[in-house]
Amino acid sequence: MHQKLAILLKGLNDEELKREFVHPECGKIYTIKETIGVYAWHSDHNLAHIMQAITGKGKYN
């Protein structure tokens, strides 16, 4: 799924990246470009948590 999403997003031009939408939960206006950045950060953040769990560095004492 991520690969298909990446292909779709890479195909957007500058005007399309500037398009805005209202987030349904918070009512804030976001651009597609902003949303891509937040999604990328969030995915990296989640991956870091997974890697910590795998290596045991996220263990509770």
Side-chain angles (χ1 to χ4, degrees):
M1 180 170 161
H2 283 237
Q3 184 178 15
K4 289 181 181 182
L5 182 59
I7 292 168
L8 172 73
L9 295 176
K10 286 180 181 180
L12 298 177
N13 63 37
D14 288 340
E15 283 302 310
E16 291 167 327
L17 290 171
K18 292 177 186 175
R19 288 185 181 175
E20 299 177 331
F21 67 96
V22 177
H23 190 283
E25 290 182 17
C26 66
K28 183 178 174 188
I29 298 173
Y30 290 95
T31 65
I32 300 298
K33 187 174 182 176
E34 286 176 305
T35 304
I36 293 169
V38 170
Y39 185 78
W41 175 88
H42 191 79
S43 295
D44 288 344
H45 183 74
N46 286 344
L47 179 59
H49 280 280
I50 292 167
M51 297 306 293
Q52 284 179 343
I54 289 171
T55 62
K57 294 179 181 175
K59 286 185 178 179
Y60 292 102
N61 292 328

mmCIF file of all heavy atoms in Angstrom, residues 26-52:
data_model
loop_
_atom_site.group_PDB
_atom_site.id
_atom_site.type_symbol
_atom_site.label_atom_id
_atom_site.label_comp_id
_atom_site.label_asym_id
_atom_site.label_seq_id
_atom_site.Cartn_x
_atom_site.Cartn_y
_atom_site.Cartn_z
ATOM 1 N N CYS A 26 -10.146 17.870 13.584
ATOM 2 C CA CYS A 26 -9.775 19.115 14.259
ATOM 3 C C CYS A 26 -10.285 20.364 13.545
ATOM 4 O O CYS A 26 -10.232 21.452 14.103
ATOM 5 C CB CYS A 26 -8.264 19.189 14.433
ATOM 6 S SG CYS A 26 -7.350 19.305 12.888
ATOM 7 N N GLY A 27 -10.752 20.212 12.310
ATOM 8 C CA GLY A 27 -11.279 21.355 11.573
ATOM 9 C C GLY A 27 -10.221 22.286 11.013
ATOM 10 O O GLY A 27 -10.539 23.324 10.454
ATOM 11 N N LYS A 28 -8.937 21.917 11.148
ATOM 12 C CA LYS A 28 -7.842 22.745 10.643
ATOM 13 C C LYS A 28 -7.661 22.510 9.146
ATOM 14 O O LYS A 28 -7.870 21.413 8.653
ATOM 15 C CB LYS A 28 -6.541 22.404 11.385
ATOM 16 C CG LYS A 28 -5.377 23.271 10.973
ATOM 17 C CD LYS A 28 -4.119 22.951 11.752
ATOM 18 C CE LYS A 28 -2.972 23.771 11.177
ATOM 19 N NZ LYS A 28 -1.683 23.407 11.726
ATOM 20 N N ILE A 29 -7.227 23.557 8.445
ATOM 21 C CA ILE A 29 -6.954 23.454 7.018
ATOM 22 C C ILE A 29 -5.494 23.032 6.809
ATOM 23 O O ILE A 29 -4.583 23.632 7.382
ATOM 24 C CB ILE A 29 -7.227 24.791 6.299
ATOM 25 C CG1 ILE A 29 -8.702 25.161 6.430
ATOM 26 C CG2 ILE A 29 -6.811 24.717 4.837
ATOM 27 C CD1 ILE A 29 -9.041 26.543 5.905
ATOM 28 N N TYR A 30 -5.294 21.998 6.004
ATOM 29 C CA TYR A 30 -3.963 21.495 5.669
ATOM 30 C C TYR A 30 -3.801 21.458 4.156
ATOM 31 O O TYR A 30 -4.769 21.256 3.436
ATOM 32 C CB TYR A 30 -3.768 20.066 6.185
ATOM 33 C CG TYR A 30 -3.662 19.949 7.672
ATOM 34 C CD1 TYR A 30 -4.776 19.649 8.443
ATOM 35 C CD2 TYR A 30 -2.444 20.103 8.325
ATOM 36 C CE1 TYR A 30 -4.683 19.526 9.817
ATOM 37 C CE2 TYR A 30 -2.344 19.975 9.694
ATOM 38 C CZ TYR A 30 -3.467 19.679 10.440
ATOM 39 O OH TYR A 30 -3.370 19.558 11.796
ATOM 40 N N THR A 31 -2.553 21.589 3.707
ATOM 41 C CA THR A 31 -2.261 21.356 2.292
ATOM 42 C C THR A 31 -1.868 19.887 2.140
ATOM 43 O O THR A 31 -1.478 19.223 3.109
ATOM 44 C CB THR A 31 -1.102 22.233 1.780
ATOM 45 O OG1 THR A 31 0.099 21.856 2.465
ATOM 46 C CG2 THR A 31 -1.380 23.713 1.954
ATOM 47 N N ILE A 32 -1.933 19.411 0.914
ATOM 48 C CA ILE A 32 -1.489 18.051 0.629
ATOM 49 C C ILE A 32 -0.008 17.926 0.967
ATOM 50 O O ILE A 32 0.428 16.930 1.558
ATOM 51 C CB ILE A 32 -1.747 17.682 -0.844
ATOM 52 C CG1 ILE A 32 -3.235 17.777 -1.188
ATOM 53 C CG2 ILE A 32 -1.178 16.310 -1.176
ATOM 54 C CD1 ILE A 32 -4.124 16.836 -0.413
ATOM 55 N N LYS A 33 0.787 18.956 0.644
ATOM 56 C CA LYS A 33 2.228 18.934 0.912
ATOM 57 C C LYS A 33 2.511 18.818 2.417
ATOM 58 O O LYS A 33 3.366 18.029 2.833
ATOM 59 C CB LYS A 33 2.893 20.195 0.348
ATOM 60 C CG LYS A 33 4.393 20.184 0.442
ATOM 61 C CD LYS A 33 4.996 21.385 -0.261
ATOM 62 C CE LYS A 33 6.498 21.337 -0.202
ATOM 63 N NZ LYS A 33 7.113 22.436 -0.952
ATOM 64 N N GLU A 34 1.796 19.578 3.235
ATOM 65 C CA GLU A 34 1.961 19.487 4.685
ATOM 66 C C GLU A 34 1.627 18.088 5.180
ATOM 67 O O GLU A 34 2.331 17.531 6.033
ATOM 68 C CB GLU A 34 1.018 20.459 5.405
ATOM 69 C CG GLU A 34 1.383 21.901 5.358
ATOM 70 C CD GLU A 34 0.319 22.758 6.016
ATOM 71 O OE1 GLU A 34 -0.868 22.680 5.620
ATOM 72 O OE2 GLU A 34 0.690 23.500 6.945
ATOM 73 N N THR A 35 0.559 17.546 4.662
ATOM 74 C CA THR A 35 0.092 16.236 5.093
ATOM 75 C C THR A 35 1.103 15.153 4.751
ATOM 76 O O THR A 35 1.335 14.243 5.551
ATOM 77 C CB THR A 35 -1.280 15.922 4.465
ATOM 78 O OG1 THR A 35 -2.175 16.983 4.803
ATOM 79 C CG2 THR A 35 -1.836 14.616 4.959
ATOM 80 N N ILE A 36 1.735 15.256 3.598
ATOM 81 C CA ILE A 36 2.771 14.294 3.221
ATOM 82 C C ILE A 36 3.920 14.349 4.229
ATOM 83 O O ILE A 36 4.429 13.317 4.673
ATOM 84 C CB ILE A 36 3.282 14.566 1.793
ATOM 85 C CG1 ILE A 36 2.173 14.271 0.782
ATOM 86 C CG2 ILE A 36 4.537 13.751 1.498
ATOM 87 C CD1 ILE A 36 2.476 14.758 -0.627
ATOM 88 N N GLY A 37 4.324 15.553 4.613
ATOM 89 C CA GLY A 37 5.406 15.707 5.588
ATOM 90 C C GLY A 37 5.063 15.117 6.940
ATOM 91 O O GLY A 37 5.876 14.418 7.553
ATOM 92 N N VAL A 38 3.859 15.364 7.409
ATOM 93 C CA VAL A 38 3.418 14.827 8.703
ATOM 94 C C VAL A 38 3.345 13.305 8.638
ATOM 95 O O VAL A 38 3.772 12.610 9.561
ATOM 96 C CB VAL A 38 2.055 15.427 9.116
ATOM 97 C CG1 VAL A 38 1.484 14.707 10.324
ATOM 98 C CG2 VAL A 38 2.202 16.915 9.397
ATOM 99 N N TYR A 39 2.825 12.780 7.543
ATOM 100 C CA TYR A 39 2.713 11.336 7.367
ATOM 101 C C TYR A 39 4.093 10.689 7.358
ATOM 102 O O TYR A 39 4.305 9.645 7.994
ATOM 103 C CB TYR A 39 1.964 11.029 6.068
ATOM 104 C CG TYR A 39 1.703 9.564 5.850
ATOM 105 C CD1 TYR A 39 0.673 8.913 6.516
ATOM 106 C CD2 TYR A 39 2.489 8.826 4.971
ATOM 107 C CE1 TYR A 39 0.443 7.564 6.320
ATOM 108 C CE2 TYR A 39 2.258 7.483 4.771
ATOM 109 C CZ TYR A 39 1.237 6.853 5.442
ATOM 110 O OH TYR A 39 1.011 5.525 5.246
ATOM 111 N N ALA A 40 5.047 11.305 6.674
ATOM 112 C CA ALA A 40 6.413 10.770 6.624
ATOM 113 C C ALA A 40 7.034 10.775 8.014
ATOM 114 O O ALA A 40 7.651 9.785 8.439
ATOM 115 C CB ALA A 40 7.264 11.582 5.652
ATOM 116 N N TRP A 41 6.891 11.881 8.742
ATOM 117 C CA TRP A 41 7.443 11.951 10.103
ATOM 118 C C TRP A 41 6.797 10.893 10.988
ATOM 119 O O TRP A 41 7.493 10.177 11.727
ATOM 120 C CB TRP A 41 7.208 13.339 10.716
ATOM 121 C CG TRP A 41 7.658 13.359 12.150
ATOM 122 C CD1 TRP A 41 8.916 13.648 12.603
ATOM 123 C CD2 TRP A 41 6.878 13.033 13.305
ATOM 124 N NE1 TRP A 41 8.962 13.516 13.972
ATOM 125 C CE2 TRP A 41 7.722 13.142 14.430
ATOM 126 C CE3 TRP A 41 5.555 12.658 13.497
ATOM 127 C CZ2 TRP A 41 7.281 12.880 15.725
ATOM 128 C CZ3 TRP A 41 5.116 12.398 14.794
ATOM 129 C CH2 TRP A 41 5.965 12.519 15.893
ATOM 130 N N HIS A 42 5.485 10.759 10.913
ATOM 131 C CA HIS A 42 4.765 9.817 11.758
ATOM 132 C C HIS A 42 5.191 8.373 11.458
ATOM 133 O O HIS A 42 5.380 7.566 12.368
ATOM 134 C CB HIS A 42 3.252 9.988 11.560
ATOM 135 C CG HIS A 42 2.433 9.255 12.552
ATOM 136 N ND1 HIS A 42 2.217 9.714 13.827
ATOM 137 C CD2 HIS A 42 1.777 8.075 12.457
ATOM 138 C CE1 HIS A 42 1.466 8.855 14.477
ATOM 139 N NE2 HIS A 42 1.183 7.842 13.665
ATOM 140 N N SER A 43 5.371 8.064 10.182
ATOM 141 C CA SER A 43 5.815 6.723 9.799
ATOM 142 C C SER A 43 7.214 6.439 10.342
ATOM 143 O O SER A 43 7.465 5.356 10.878
ATOM 144 C CB SER A 43 5.810 6.575 8.277
ATOM 145 O OG SER A 43 4.493 6.662 7.789
ATOM 146 N N ASP A 44 8.123 7.399 10.233
ATOM 147 C CA ASP A 44 9.475 7.230 10.782
ATOM 148 C C ASP A 44 9.436 7.065 12.296
ATOM 149 O O ASP A 44 10.167 6.251 12.866
ATOM 150 C CB ASP A 44 10.360 8.424 10.421
ATOM 151 C CG ASP A 44 10.740 8.445 8.956
ATOM 152 O OD1 ASP A 44 10.593 7.416 8.269
ATOM 153 O OD2 ASP A 44 11.182 9.522 8.488
ATOM 154 N N HIS A 45 8.582 7.834 12.954
ATOM 155 C CA HIS A 45 8.433 7.764 14.405
ATOM 156 C C HIS A 45 7.942 6.377 14.819
ATOM 157 O O HIS A 45 8.477 5.771 15.763
ATOM 158 C CB HIS A 45 7.457 8.861 14.848
ATOM 159 C CG HIS A 45 7.268 8.959 16.314
ATOM 160 N ND1 HIS A 45 8.227 9.487 17.156
ATOM 161 C CD2 HIS A 45 6.231 8.603 17.102
ATOM 162 C CE1 HIS A 45 7.783 9.457 18.394
ATOM 163 N NE2 HIS A 45 6.576 8.915 18.388
ATOM 164 N N ASN A 46 6.943 5.866 14.122
ATOM 165 C CA ASN A 46 6.430 4.534 14.435
ATOM 166 C C ASN A 46 7.487 3.468 14.194
ATOM 167 O O ASN A 46 7.626 2.529 14.994
ATOM 168 C CB ASN A 46 5.180 4.221 13.608
ATOM 169 C CG ASN A 46 3.971 4.975 14.088
ATOM 170 O OD1 ASN A 46 3.941 5.510 15.188
ATOM 171 N ND2 ASN A 46 2.954 5.041 13.251
ATOM 172 N N LEU A 47 8.238 3.591 13.110
ATOM 173 C CA LEU A 47 9.299 2.631 12.820
ATOM 174 C C LEU A 47 10.354 2.634 13.926
ATOM 175 O O LEU A 47 10.837 1.570 14.337
ATOM 176 C CB LEU A 47 9.947 2.934 11.470
ATOM 177 C CG LEU A 47 11.085 2.008 11.061
ATOM 178 C CD1 LEU A 47 10.619 0.556 10.976
ATOM 179 C CD2 LEU A 47 11.677 2.456 9.732
ATOM 180 N N ALA A 48 10.687 3.796 14.446
ATOM 181 C CA ALA A 48 11.666 3.879 15.533
ATOM 182 C C ALA A 48 11.159 3.138 16.766
ATOM 183 O O ALA A 48 11.932 2.438 17.440
ATOM 184 C CB ALA A 48 11.962 5.348 15.868
ATOM 185 N N HIS A 49 9.882 3.253 17.069
ATOM 186 C CA HIS A 49 9.308 2.519 18.202
ATOM 187 C C HIS A 49 9.390 1.013 17.975
ATOM 188 O O HIS A 49 9.717 0.247 18.891
ATOM 189 C CB HIS A 49 7.841 2.920 18.425
ATOM 190 C CG HIS A 49 7.688 4.201 19.165
ATOM 191 N ND1 HIS A 49 7.808 4.303 20.527
ATOM 192 C CD2 HIS A 49 7.415 5.446 18.724
ATOM 193 C CE1 HIS A 49 7.627 5.547 20.895
ATOM 194 N NE2 HIS A 49 7.380 6.271 19.813
ATOM 195 N N ILE A 50 9.102 0.583 16.765
ATOM 196 C CA ILE A 50 9.174 -0.841 16.441
ATOM 197 C C ILE A 50 10.604 -1.348 16.585
ATOM 198 O O ILE A 50 10.843 -2.410 17.184
ATOM 199 C CB ILE A 50 8.639 -1.103 15.018
ATOM 200 C CG1 ILE A 50 7.129 -0.831 14.981
ATOM 201 C CG2 ILE A 50 8.968 -2.521 14.559
ATOM 202 C CD1 ILE A 50 6.536 -0.737 13.582
ATOM 203 N N MET A 51 11.553 -0.573 16.079
ATOM 204 C CA MET A 51 12.963 -0.981 16.165
ATOM 205 C C MET A 51 13.424 -1.046 17.616
ATOM 206 O O MET A 51 14.169 -1.950 17.998
ATOM 207 C CB MET A 51 13.848 -0.035 15.353
ATOM 208 C CG MET A 51 13.537 -0.033 13.851
ATOM 209 S SD MET A 51 13.562 -1.667 13.087
ATOM 210 C CE MET A 51 15.289 -2.058 13.220
ATOM 211 N N GLN A 52 12.987 -0.120 18.448
ATOM 212 C CA GLN A 52 13.312 -0.151 19.867
ATOM 213 C C GLN A 52 12.755 -1.414 20.524
ATOM 214 O O GLN A 52 13.413 -2.057 21.333
ATOM 215 C CB GLN A 52 12.784 1.078 20.597
ATOM 216 C CG GLN A 52 13.570 2.320 20.365
ATOM 217 C CD GLN A 52 12.968 3.515 21.095
ATOM 218 O OE1 GLN A 52 11.825 3.499 21.517
ATOM 219 N NE2 GLN A 52 13.761 4.563 21.240
#
